[in-house]
Amino acid sequence: GERGRKPAPMASGGAVFEAGVTLGSSRVEGTLSVDLEAGSVGWYPLGARQGDAIGLHDDDDSDSGSCGGCLTWEGAPSLPLEIRGGDLVGASPCPSDAKTYPSFKVFYFVEEVSKRRGGRSRRRLKVTDEFLCTNTGLCEECVDKIRECAGHARSRKGVMVVVNPVSGAGRGLRAARELLGPCLEASGAKHDVTVTREPGEAQTIAASLDIDAYDTLVVVGGDGTMHEALQGLCGRPDADRRAADLAFAVVPTGSGNGFAASIGALDAETAAWGIFRNARRPLDVCSVVQDPWNGADRKFMFLTLTFGFISDLDLDTESLRFLGQARFTLGAVYQMLAGRTTDARVAYVSSGEVSEGEGGGGLGLRFVGGIASSQGGSLKDPPPPWRVLDQEKFQLFVLSNVPCMSMGDRVAPTQDPSSGSLSMVTTGRNGRLKNIAMFDAVEDGTTADCDIISYQDVAAFAVEPLSDRFQFSLDGERIPTRTLYGEIHRGLGRFLTCL
């Protein structure tokens, strides 16, 4: 404001500032209200009523409905703005010189819902025009109050961002620089950004991260980068006690992005909103071992273990990563036409064998230890509660900890990363027409009700390859072809959900 008044205190613990907004060659005077108790920020031009904020109600006469709090000055320079606390990121001062007034911009998100049937909610980042202040001190106080109102600095320890610079042909690096970086600066939250230089570096970072200083690990990349970071966190000596103190968030810039699809992080902006929303949920993690008596052999799964159609589709299209999601479509067509089966012996423990409240905490392998020590680990006649599948010829075999393997499917529609079980989705040999129906079911999320698909929840599993041509895919990564065992650890980690 030109008048240069000091901010007036509010009964709710916030403050009211005078501020101006420049609109082209004109200028609008008003007040900036920061309400800490209500958790909202509002800007009101002179003469506007505080209850007339944009986005608080729908306009039934408008095709687009409410603008959701979006600040637009086209034809409406006198309308006030109010940003609800849950969507508020913070504020950042703008560069200025001696000839211009100190100024700042407010960062916030608005909801966008697809008009298509069953459309899922996304968030879009908005940044206001500049608010002008008479002096630097007033500008800094405005920024501090808005950040305090958003509360991101006080509600968490610190955020570590790990960026895969080659993910999505450079989209990961752009997302970090143009989206996450400015938002984290505006929030005032403690954060650090590391750009990986070689494969495996995300694992090293997670393994050595100071969990007393950071409570969020943001992975900017695809499922492969997330898989690396999980190996580092869960491979720590203190993982059974401390893994849940660090929550994973993922900004999807890979080709599959199955975990992001499963937790509602449908694009980079929605994922960024989820980081600031900070809604933490338990993350089940599955141990996978091929030498049960060698602790160094253990790998950790957060997504899927597959063989047959899906692993062949995933691993045989590695050279087509530049096509993004289209690589899976092309691979699926090829697999349907080829119609090959893969031979394996599969044993499992039903999730019904795990009593309520059992299996949480720790990295023990109660079920795997039982089968591995019985008859030299043979799967032909395992001890109770293990069972063996009747079939040994598979076209589809998926063990999933999440609903989605990519942005374009729902292979395990009843699954949830916090369920305490894995969904085992399988088919035997089918003709081409049935294979088309199978892939349709995977795509539209009807696998649990499809007649040609077997669908059940398990707590542990073992797979013995019987085919010469056989490949395992663990979270999209190739692992050696020999008998493996797996067991779920309920709530071992944490993740930030956008749902």
Side-chain angles (χ1 to χ4, degrees), residues 93 96-97 100-103 133-143:
S96 62
D97 54 42
T100 60
Y101 288 103
S103 62
C133 303
T134 53
N135 58 70
T136 301
L138 183 60
C139 182
E140 291 175 350
E141 190 166 359
C142 262
V143 169

Side-chain angles (χ1 to χ4, degrees), residues 184-242:
L184 286 167
E185 287 291 340
S187 74
K190 173 189 172 184
H191 66 279
D192 290 288
V193 179
T194 300
V195 179
T196 60
R197 294 163 293 182
E198 58 187 7
E201 191 171 355
Q203 178 172 346
T204 303
I205 293 169
S208 59
L209 193 65
D210 183 358
I211 301 180
D212 290 324
Y214 298 92
D215 61 5
T216 306
L217 178 59
V218 179
V219 174
V220 184
D223 292 324
T225 312
M226 175 80 175
H227 177 80
E228 281 188 14
L230 185 76
Q231 307 314 301
L233 178 64
C234 294
R236 296 166 61 122
D238 61 352
D240 57 339
R241 296 180 294 103
R242 300 301 307 276

Side-chain angles (χ1 to χ4, degrees), residues 155 295 344 488:
S155 65
I488 194 80

Side-chain angles (χ1 to χ4, degrees), residues 29-49:
E29 298 286 347
T31 59
L32 182 74
S33 171
V34 182
D35 190 333
L36 299 181
E37 183 176 301
S40 65
V41 172
W43 180 73
Y44 307 95
L46 293 181
R49 296 176 301 164

Side-chain angles (χ1 to χ4, degrees), residues 307 341-346 379-380 388-394 428 464 466-467 470:
F307 67 82
T341 60
T342 302
D343 294 353
R345 185 173 293 120
V346 178
L379 302 189
K380 289 184 178 180
V388 180
L389 285 180
D390 293 335
Q391 69 187 85
E392 291 187 351
K393 291 186 179 294
F394 299 88
E464 179 184 352
L466 300 177
S467 295
F470 194 105

Side-chain angles (χ1 to χ4, degrees), residues 9 123 137 253 274 303 322 333 336 352 364 392-393 403 415 436:
R123 288 303 197 284
T253 59
L303 197 65
F322 67 94
V333 172
M336 284 188 289
E392 291 187 351
K393 291 186 179 294
Q415 190 50 256
I436 293 173

